Amino acid sequence: MFNIDNWHKRIYKDDLVYVLINAFAVVLLGGIIAGSIDYLFSLIKVNISFGLIIITLLLGIRIRKSYYNFHILYPVLSIPFMILAIFISTLTEWVYLLGIQNFCNILLDPAFYLNFVEQPVYYVVKAFTPFDGLLLALGIVDTLIYIWSFYFCYRLAKGNN
């Protein structure tokens, strides 16, 4: 996967610019859509992150279609862009919960950043306050889904190369 010879290939400026523009567009739009969908599902008490699936598919496919000459940097860039998209998704969900007038308060609130960092392992941590096996199993599955989505986004961005 990370062959050292892949890093010695030439990076074309046009390909890199297209990858960055497309990735930023997907991060903003996909993050907002994913946060909205996660908020709607939280209203009906479904705590599965369908937004993560949307971010994974949109980002991986869009990065793959934005370059002509493959370089290993492009799929590797999908990982930080995915983290940024999850951040935008979490921010959107909090804005829906607390209102747009509290936007600056959300960005200054340490609980928001703790929620963003703790999000993949939230149910694992919550299962140990009073021990609950169901929450632990749900937390392990949720953490595995997060890991799988990062890997799948990398594979989608890589394509057939």
Side-chain angles (χ1 to χ4, degrees), residues 48-110:
I48 298 171
S49 180
F50 289 106
L52 186 65
I53 297 167
I54 291 170
I55 290 171
T56 301
L57 292 174
L58 285 176
L59 191 62
I61 291 170
R62 197 63 241 157
I63 287 177
R64 172 61 188 110
K65 290 187 176 193
S66 63
Y67 62 82
Y68 293 108
N69 300 308
F70 175 75
H71 193 276
I72 193 68
L73 177 66
Y74 308 141
V76 170
L77 279 176
S78 70
I79 295 170
F81 279 120
M82 184 130 174
I83 293 171
L84 189 60
I86 292 171
F87 179 79
I88 298 291
S89 171
T90 307
L91 181 64
T92 304
E93 191 173 357
W94 274 56
V95 165
Y96 277 127
L97 288 172
L98 301 176
I100 191 71
Q101 65 271 15
N102 294 327
F103 183 72
C104 290
N105 294 337
I106 292 171
L107 289 177
L108 297 174
D109 188 11

